[in-house]
Amino acid sequence: MSRVDLREFLDAYLDEVDEHLANANTQLLALDAALRAGEPTLRAVRELFRALHTIKGLSAMVGVDPIVAIAHRMEASLRAADRAGGQLPEGAIDVMLQAVAAIEQRVRALASGHPVPAPPGPLLAALDTLDEVRTPAPVARTTSGLALDPAVNAKIAAFERDALERGIASGRRALCVRFAPSPERAAAGTNINTVRERLGVVSEIVKVVPVSAPRSAEAPAALTFALLVLTRASDEDVAREVGVDVGSIDVVGEPGTSAPAPEPAVVPVPELHDEERDDVQRRGVVRVDVARLDEALERLAQLVISRGVLAREIAVLASRGTDVRGLQIVLREQSRQLRDMRAAVLQLRMVPASEVLERVPLVVRGLRKATGKAVRLEVDAGRTELDKAVAERLFPALVHLVRNAVDHAIEAPDERRRAGKPEEGLLRVTFETRGTGQVALVVQDDGRGIDAARVAARAGVEVPTTDAALLQLLCRPGLSTRDQVSTTSGRGIGMDVVRRIVVEELGGDLSMTTTPGRGTTIVARVPLTLSIVDVLTFECGSQRFVVPMASIDEIIEIDPTQVSAPPRTGAGSTIALIQRRGEAVPLVRLDRTLGLASADPERPKALVVRRDGDAIAFAIDRTLGQQEVVVRPLEDPLLRVPGVTGATDLGDGRPTLVVDLVALSRISGETSEVRT
Amino acid sequence: MSALHVLFRVGDAEYAIAADEVLQMESYEGATPVPNAAAHVAGIVQVRGRVVPVVDLRVRFGAPMRERTIDTRVVVAQRGERAVALLVDSAREVARLAPEQLKPPPPMVAAQSAGLVRAIAQIAGRMVMLIDLDRVVGEERLDGE
């Protein structure tokens, strides 16, 4: 196939292959975890097989033989693993991960128009040896005697029986869940696919056997499905989850009381649907280029702006005495529709946070190997979702934090033993939805904590007394806490990069708690979505600005008699002091901070924000109102100034600046003189 | 191969920029000032839904300040993904310049203008300086920080 032909399909091919590669990695890690826990799982093997099978097919279509060759051999090994009930020989996961990496490498080469290298011989040879799978360790079959209905028993294969028995041996219960489809159930939204899906959440489905039965009230379709599953959940939980009676559940086998249940798998893996059979309907999914979503959002943004103009025109009419009640009703209706529309478009851009976490196990696995440290990873994203653009920007920060935790924070096994800790370090990476419009990424380790004195010595400053001050120090560009360059983290620890991404690029904030010997938790709070923000419009030094409502603690009026001026050393000092509910609060003149001509209003107001918990008041001339605006980032290097995060159009066709008062408080506090 | 260039005036001098680097030209209706930005950044304006910085070429080129007139123009220049508006005193002409018309600036001029001028061309007895857009809109550190 010539390159010209190929080009046409290439983008679609690259997109799709990427997705299957990501899935392959996820499944390999799930398999790895399952094998380590002694619970081989057919589900991951089959899922992996499907991913590779698809990659092979797609690659054959565009004629990239090296990829076809690798995928083909992986398929063969997996087929053998499937026959062996999910068992893989020692070291197989490593070889498979290498093979996936080799495919990725070739996909990259293809994407950048380079020749695709032939598959590495040693890799193919290693894959070939995986075929010769040892038969799985014999299960004490004599003790088993699975309580299976003969009709079901006749339809399951030996390896499936093995899988059930091994599951029981590892402490799970084998159940047979019966589900009879009926028109009533279908009308209520319950069918074999939904049952499979729900059952897949609470159990591992080993086999689904359709059993024909005489037509009856119980089985109006003359058909019953027997779902053989392995689970740790109770009958009641399973029944509730699936929406059947407890009476539809038969216990096929239970672990002996003498055998203690082993610990659950160390790396919780995302739950996967069992889709082994073709009768499972795929949900309708459309793949859309993010650029198209951006375009839709941009169009919507223009609509929001023109609505603002319309509202102003109506206000003008009203001020001339025109009856605008009809118009106002339409305007209100339109506002509501715009809000719904906006919610719908933003929803399209949301991706599950679990997608962001998908690659973390791979990163940690690599770090485990590189550092020789034992690390248990727990990831949990719950149902949190976030904007695709936020997810993409946040990911590099996440990788930095994970690297720091494994490379610097978690101690080597012998050091942990001496400290009386378990040899295996714990790293938890989670996403949580925080209030409205914010999501928190939490990276927590149980390592040695951060030695403030050492960091301070290295930076040549006084030892910070609070975690917030320590974090600020850590975020200094170029700060290094290590004497030696390590291969994984380099010399710096990259907290300046994390800060830049979280605070400057995403408009979020970063906080940290650390306890020597106990561990460190870093929380990055970022907005769920970029773009549309609820802001306060205000005037200062005859220029209009907006500030996100979420950042404002309070709007207060300043009583000039309550303002005192602390001693000043710099000529242009802008900081005074006010009292607010018994708290001494610094009052910053925003006009001076921004280098604007001062207007000296009669009754100035102040916007109170909190920086690391402390209140700071900014004196402004007056507030103008509250509204929703579309924030456009200021991307040009000429516009990268502290305290200004973006611009918005309030409907007059000119950009209005979006200010970040917390960032401005830093420049006001650090320089005694403000540039004009 | 001669190429189209947009000619514009800043102070007493005449400059040129390659036409394929120009996105559009507009009259100037003021920009929103950006506090703490470099002195030659007059502010920001909206161009086709994007927010772009306005570089005041009088300040950038060290020309004396003068009142804006109805001739004042914004030349929106584009380099790759980046768009920057150049504030100039006037921009009225387009001219074709052949490579052989473009001469390197005399060394003393080159040194003084710190690379802002890429070449000098003579057009019908007038002298036109071809600007180096990258340098002109180059990333500037605030006050040598």
Side-chain angles (χ1 to χ4, degrees):
Chain A
M1 190 175 276
S2 78
R3 190 138 291 259
V4 182
D5 286 336
L6 198 136
R7 202 74 236 178
E8 259 179 65
F9 304 106
L10 205 54
D11 285 345
Y13 166 80
L14 293 172
D15 257 21
E16 208 168 331
V17 166
D18 268 349
E19 200 167 280
H20 291 294
L21 282 171
N23 188 24
N25 274 327
T26 309
Q27 297 308 331
L28 274 169
L29 292 166
L31 205 52
D32 190 28
L35 288 173
R36 273 192 287 144
E39 291 182 6
T41 160
L42 282 174
R43 196 195 299 176
V45 171
R46 290 177 189 171
E47 190 73 31
L48 188 56
F49 180 85
R50 252 191 304 278
L52 284 158
H53 186 70
T54 313
I55 292 172
K56 186 174 96 172
L58 291 169
S59 306
M61 253 163 27
V62 291
V64 253
D65 295 335
I67 295 179
V68 175
I70 300 171
H72 178 72
R73 281 188 174 67
M74 289 182 77
E75 253 186 54
S77 326
L78 289 165
R79 209 174 276 127
D82 190 287
R83 277 197 302 273
Q87 284 289 358
L88 279 164
E90 194 77 29
I93 298 285
D94 284 321
V95 176
M96 294 254 180
L97 281 170
Q98 275 171 26
V100 172
I103 294 178
E104 263 176 330
Q105 219 175 17
R106 279 155 187 79
V107 170
R108 291 293 141 258
L110 194 64
S112 48
H114 296 304
V116 178
L123 176 67
L124 293 188
L127 283 170
D128 281 341
T129 62
L130 297 186
D131 271 355
E132 305 145 14
V133 169
R134 314 101 185 250
T135 31
V139 174
R141 183 151 308 166
T142 48
T143 61
S144 85
L146 296 172
L148 279 169
D149 184 302
V152 176
N153 199 23
K155 288 192 180 174
I156 66 171
F159 74 85
E160 285 157 344
R161 203 166 290 125
D162 275 358
L164 286 173
E165 285 170 356
R166 246 193 309 279
I168 295 167
S170 72
R172 288 184 289 176
R173 302 191 312 139
L175 303 178
C176 175
V177 181
R178 285 173 191 282
F179 171 76
S182 72
E184 291 76 34
R185 288 190 174 125
T190 306
N191 56 42
I192 182 62
N193 295 328
T194 63
V195 169
R196 261 174 192 280
E197 224 171 85
R198 291 186 210 140
L199 204 49
V201 176
V202 289
S203 67
E204 180 187 355
I205 301 179
V206 177
K207 176 82 172 176
V208 180
V209 185
V211 183
S212 54
R215 198 175 300 276
S216 68
E218 292 296 302
L223 177 75
T224 310
F225 289 98
L227 297 101
L228 295 173
V229 303
L230 287 166
T231 185
R232 294 184 192 283
S234 70
D235 288 3
E236 288 72 22
D237 285 348
V238 171
R240 195 177 49 245
E241 201 63 41
V242 180
V244 300
D245 302 335
V246 183
S248 311
I249 297 177
D250 296 326
V251 178
V252 172
E254 277 182 300
T257 43
S258 58
E263 290 292 297
V266 285
V267 180
V269 297
E271 291 293 345
L272 299 156
H273 302 308
D274 184 298
E275 291 180 324
E276 77 196 67
R277 288 174 38 158
D278 297 331
D279 60 356
V280 176
Q281 254 179 339
R282 290 207 158 250
R283 287 167 61 206
V285 173
V286 181
R287 301 164 52 80
V288 183
D289 191 342
V290 180
R292 287 201 200 168
L293 295 177
D294 285 342
E295 197 184 309
L297 199 64
E298 179 63 26
R299 297 269 151 83
L300 184 65
Q302 286 160 3
L303 214 53
V304 171
I305 291 166
S306 68
R307 191 201 153 272
V309 177
L310 187 62
R312 239 192 11 223
E313 291 300 323
I314 292 175
V316 169
L317 280 181
S319 71
R320 291 195 196 128
T322 313
D323 181 1
V324 294
R325 273 174 298 181
L327 282 174
Q328 258 156 358
I329 290 169
V330 176
L331 193 65
R332 265 201 301 278
E333 179 67 6
Q334 203 198 27
S335 298
R336 198 182 54 73
Q337 288 162 347
L338 267 177
R339 252 200 320 276
D340 293 351
M341 179 76 193
R342 182 195 122 190
V345 172
L346 289 180
Q347 199 54 44
L348 293 178
R349 301 173 48 93
M350 298 300 249
V351 294
S354 54
E355 216 168 85
V356 185
L357 295 184
E358 240 167 42
R359 281 150 71 194
V360 176
L362 202 60
V363 174
V364 172
R365 194 174 196 279
L367 288 168
R368 260 194 220 119
K369 293 220 142 182
T371 61
K373 291 178 185 176
V375 181
R376 181 155 64 98
L377 172 70
E378 288 181 10
V379 294
D380 182 13
R383 292 184 181 280
T384 305
E385 290 190 323
L386 71 171
D387 189 289
K388 178 88 179 162
V390 177
E392 271 173 14
R393 288 189 194 203
L394 190 58
F395 186 72
L398 170 58
V399 171
H400 267 293
L401 291 174
V402 165
R403 275 205 191 127
N404 284 345
V406 178
D407 209 25
H408 302 289
I410 291 176
E411 314 88 331
D414 52 337
E415 190 183 336
R416 289 181 65 90
R417 206 169 37 238
R418 281 198 301 277
K421 294 187 192 182
E423 284 187 16
E424 198 176 45
L426 174 66
L427 175 62
R428 271 181 65 79
V429 182
T430 56
F431 271 103
E432 298 161 20
T433 309
R434 288 272 172 96
T436 52
Q438 277 203 321
V439 58
L441 164 67
V442 183
V443 179
Q444 184 181 15
D445 67 65
D446 70 345
R448 57 170 69 96
I450 296 167
D451 185 345
R454 223 173 114 230
V455 175
R458 197 154 278 271
V461 298
E462 275 182 40
V463 181
T465 52
T466 62
D467 283 347
L470 177 56
L471 178 63
Q472 211 171 351
L473 188 56
L474 286 171
C475 291
R476 277 202 189 174
L479 180 84
S480 161
T481 50
R482 279 226 147 172
D483 302 316
Q484 267 149 28
V485 179
S486 79
T487 48
T488 45
S489 300
R491 186 175 282 282
I493 59 166
M495 281 305 287
D496 56 326
V497 177
V498 174
R499 202 197 76 87
R500 204 194 63 231
I501 292 171
V502 172
V503 179
E504 285 167 31
E505 288 183 14
L506 293 171
D509 66 30
L510 202 59
S511 63
M512 177 185 82
T513 51
T514 184
T515 314
R518 299 284 293 281
T520 305
T521 302
I522 294 183
V523 181
R525 282 192 309 154
V526 295
L528 273 183
T529 58
L530 297 174
S531 42
I532 301 182
V533 184
D534 193 14
V535 296
L536 177 80
T537 315
F538 66 90
E539 213 170 68
C540 181
S542 69
Q543 196 174 332
R544 262 201 294 177
F545 297 93
V546 302
V547 59
M549 280 305 288
S551 68
I552 297 175
D553 209 33
E554 203 180 346
I555 302 167
I556 56 174
E557 276 188 32
I558 301 174
D559 179 353
T561 62
Q562 295 292 312
V563 180
S564 29
R568 51 186 67 188
T569 50
S573 181
T574 56
I575 299 166
L577 205 56
I578 53 167
Q579 219 193 66
R580 183 169 155 266
R581 294 194 208 114
E583 191 183 0
V585 176
L587 176 69
V588 181
R589 288 205 44 167
L590 186 60
D591 53 354
R592 297 213 186 132
T593 308
L594 296 176
L596 302 168
S598 64
D600 279 327
E602 281 175 22
R603 293 173 57 211
K605 298 223 170 182
L607 308 177
V608 182
V609 298
R610 292 203 170 261
R611 184 178 87 189
D612 309 327
D614 298 328
I616 298 158
F618 282 91
I620 58 164
D621 298 355
R622 60 196 180 105
T623 57
L624 298 172
Q626 189 184 337
Q627 69 190 96
E628 284 186 337
V629 299
V630 179
V631 174
R632 296 197 159 89
L634 297 181
E635 280 155 348
D636 197 276
L638 287 170
L639 301 173
R640 261 180 226 145
V641 293
V644 177
T645 53
T648 183
D649 183 350
L650 295 175
D652 54 3
R654 320 185 128 208
T656 300
L657 295 177
V658 182
V659 293
D660 174 355
L661 294 176
V662 175
L664 278 174
S665 75
R666 294 215 163 87
I667 43 175
S668 317
E670 279 160 21
T671 56
S672 58
E673 203 160 331
V674 175
R675 269 164 30 85
T676 50
Chain B
M1 269 288 287
S2 62
L4 270 184
H5 284 73
V6 173
L7 306 188
F8 58 88
R9 294 195 74 92
V10 176
D12 301 327
E14 208 167 353
Y15 297 88
I17 178 174
D20 58 12
E21 290 182 322
V22 175
L23 191 64
Q24 67 185 69
M25 288 196 274
E26 281 176 7
S27 51
Y28 181 62
E29 284 155 5
T32 304
V34 177
N36 303 322
H40 61 266
V41 175
I44 50 178
V45 290
Q46 247 163 239
V47 177
R48 298 184 185 176
R50 283 173 78 175
V51 177
V52 302
V54 180
V55 171
D56 188 338
L57 287 192
R58 278 183 171 277
V59 181
R60 189 74 179 108
F61 293 167
M65 291 311 290
R66 211 184 290 164
E67 279 291 297
R68 314 261 179 232
T69 68
I70 51 163
D71 287 336
T72 303
R73 289 286 177 277
V74 168
V75 177
V76 184
Q78 186 157 33
R79 288 288 279 178
E81 290 285 292
R82 199 172 166 205
V84 175
L86 306 175
L87 188 57
V88 304
D89 290 341
S90 70
R92 287 191 200 138
E93 273 176 83
V94 174
R96 244 171 219 294
L97 291 179
E100 57 273 17
Q101 278 177 277
L102 299 170
K103 302 269 157 35
M108 281 172 73
V109 174
Q112 183 192 301
S113 63
L116 296 178
V117 172
R118 190 148 52 144
I120 294 181
Q122 307 277 341
I123 305 175
R126 286 149 61 198
M127 200 174 59
V128 174
M129 290 175 272
L130 182 66
I131 63 166
D132 185 328
L133 186 58
D134 278 343
R135 296 276 178 120
V136 170
V137 303
E139 193 170 346
E140 290 287 309
R141 290 269 170 186
L142 298 181
D143 297 339
E145 249 172 49

